[in-house]
Amino acid sequence: MTAPLLDRLAALSAPEGAPVTSPEILADRPDGTVVRSGRTVAKAHAPDGDPQDLAARLRIAAHPRLHGILLPPLPVTGPDGFLTLTEDGRALTRWPYGSPVPPDDPDAAPWEDAARLLARLHSVDPRQLPGPVPPMRGPAKAARALARLRSALTSAGGPLPAPRSPGPRPGSLPAAAAAVERAWALLPPWARGEAPPPRAGTLCHGDLHLGQLVRHPAADGPWLLIDIDDLGLGDGAWDLARPAAWFATGLLAPDIWTRFLAGYRAAGGRAVRPDGDPWPDLEIPARALTVQTAALAVAKAAGAARPLDEIESAVVDACARMTSLPDQLAPAGPVVG
């Protein structure tokens, strides 16, 4: 983050009439920088983002139909009312601060709350929202993860380290990347961001994980979804696909997955059938999220010239299984409601 950008974010997050001070940096990544001053958060969105699409997403997040589901943005001085631009065209937004999910207390993770919020989001009629509603960006993000993997391997060059643990894992990062590429090639075009999804009429979050929930008001308010950068029309199963993929790869306990799925169904969620095995609805999105996760894991390991760790190896293994048993990522037995 550059000093001018930090200064802009500090001014944006400062309470009205209060002197501008150095804010707390909550996140600083290439795709987004977030700072906090007291009860206000300011965010610099991805430099290559489309401000018009973001403005549409902000209007949706502020709409009364989304109250109690999405954290609403705070107004800023600018032509749209909810975003302003830096001199180089990067979008900046302003938000109320909410308390995140505690990272050191997995038993308190609000899986059922996340499921209920998704069910409510998926029930919103897009025709009642300010439009046009942009497409959900989940598949496009998966495609960018593959591009990042290819770039990282090209930049790394030379031999790369093998995994620390033995077993049926690819023996090097290039071999791991090849397993990811093969799994990617098996996905249908819509899951690779190359065509519209067959079910595209649902308002989706697009990047659901526990880091996308906060309590607002902070500390003890209700849980709300945050980060609307990928919000839009698509297949609602994509929002369930990350926990589904974690469950299928052994990274999420079966009882947690069962609670999450049951909470979604009980709240009237429409992305999966109301009972029985949900996997026919989740298979393709879960594969895509697994490939995305594996691609980013291999890219990060290549950039750091280190082996894959145990969790990274698990998702690469899942990609390898997809290519050897292309009709199954799902667990061995059906998951019923």
Side-chain angles (χ1 to χ4, degrees):
M1 174 173 43
T2 64
L5 179 59
L6 180 59
D7 290 343
R8 284 291 303 273
L9 291 172
L12 196 61
S13 63
E16 187 174 353
V20 176
T21 59
S22 295
E24 175 188 3
I25 299 174
L26 301 180
D28 186 17
R29 301 183 301 271
D31 63 342
T33 298
V34 182
V35 305
R36 173 193 177 190
S37 296
R39 298 181 180 180
T40 305
V41 168
K43 178 175 181 177
H45 296 258
D48 60 350
D50 185 327
Q52 289 187 335
D53 281 351
L54 178 59
R57 294 181 170 106
L58 289 163
R59 289 192 295 271
I60 292 169
H63 193 272
R65 289 285 286 112
L66 277 301
H67 286 182
I69 303 173
L70 295 175
L71 185 73
L74 295 173
V76 299
T77 301
D80 185 77
F82 291 112
L83 69 81
T84 186
L85 299 176
T86 62
E87 288 75 7
D88 58 358
R90 188 169 183 178
L92 308 180
T93 56
R94 187 167 168 263
W95 305 83
Y97 174 74
S99 302
V101 176
D104 55 351
D105 189 5
D107 292 336
W111 286 107
E112 289 95 336
D113 294 274
R116 287 190 287 268
L117 288 168
L118 285 181
R120 292 179 60 194
L121 180 70
H122 294 167
S123 71
V124 172
D125 185 350
R127 294 170 298 182
Q128 298 179 358
L129 301 175
V133 181
M136 182 265 289
R137 296 201 315 163
K141 287 189 72 171
R144 286 201 300 275
L146 266 291
R148 179 174 170 182
L149 167 63
R150 295 160 185 160
S151 176
L153 290 181
T154 300
S155 300
L160 292 168
R164 292 188 177 89
S165 55
R169 298 179 173 86
S172 66
L173 291 184
V180 174
E181 291 279 8
R182 288 193 297 270
W184 179 251
L186 290 174
L187 293 171
W190 77 264
R192 300 196 302 261
E194 298 168 1
R199 301 192 300 174
T202 298
L203 183 65
C204 306
H205 180 273
D207 189 28
L208 190 279
H209 54 79
L210 290 180
Q212 307 289 37
L213 288 99
V214 297
R215 285 190 181 277
H216 179 74
D220 56 3
W223 290 105
L224 298 172
L225 294 169
I226 63 169
D227 191 354
I228 47 83
D229 293 62
D230 304 310
L231 182 79
L233 293 179
D235 185 344
W238 196 278
D239 285 343
L240 282 69
R242 183 174 273 113
W246 289 348
F247 165 58
T249 55
L251 299 176
L252 186 69
D255 66 309
I256 294 177
W257 166 248
T258 299
R259 284 163 38 205
F260 175 79
L261 179 62
Y264 180 80
R265 283 171 159 167
R270 304 172 180 177
V272 295
R273 55 205 65 193
D275 51 42
D277 183 7
W279 210 256
D281 301 309
L282 295 174
E283 175 81 20
I284 296 303
R287 284 172 175 268
L289 265 296
T290 301
V291 176
Q292 175 182 323
T293 303
L296 293 175
V298 177
K300 291 175 183 177
R306 61 167 177 79
L308 297 172
D309 62 27
E310 184 176 357
I311 293 177
E312 292 167 339
S313 293
V315 291
V316 172
D317 287 351
C319 291
R321 290 197 302 274
M322 288 181 215
T323 58
S324 61
L325 297 170
D327 61 337
Q328 278 295 326
L329 170 67
V335 181
V336 297

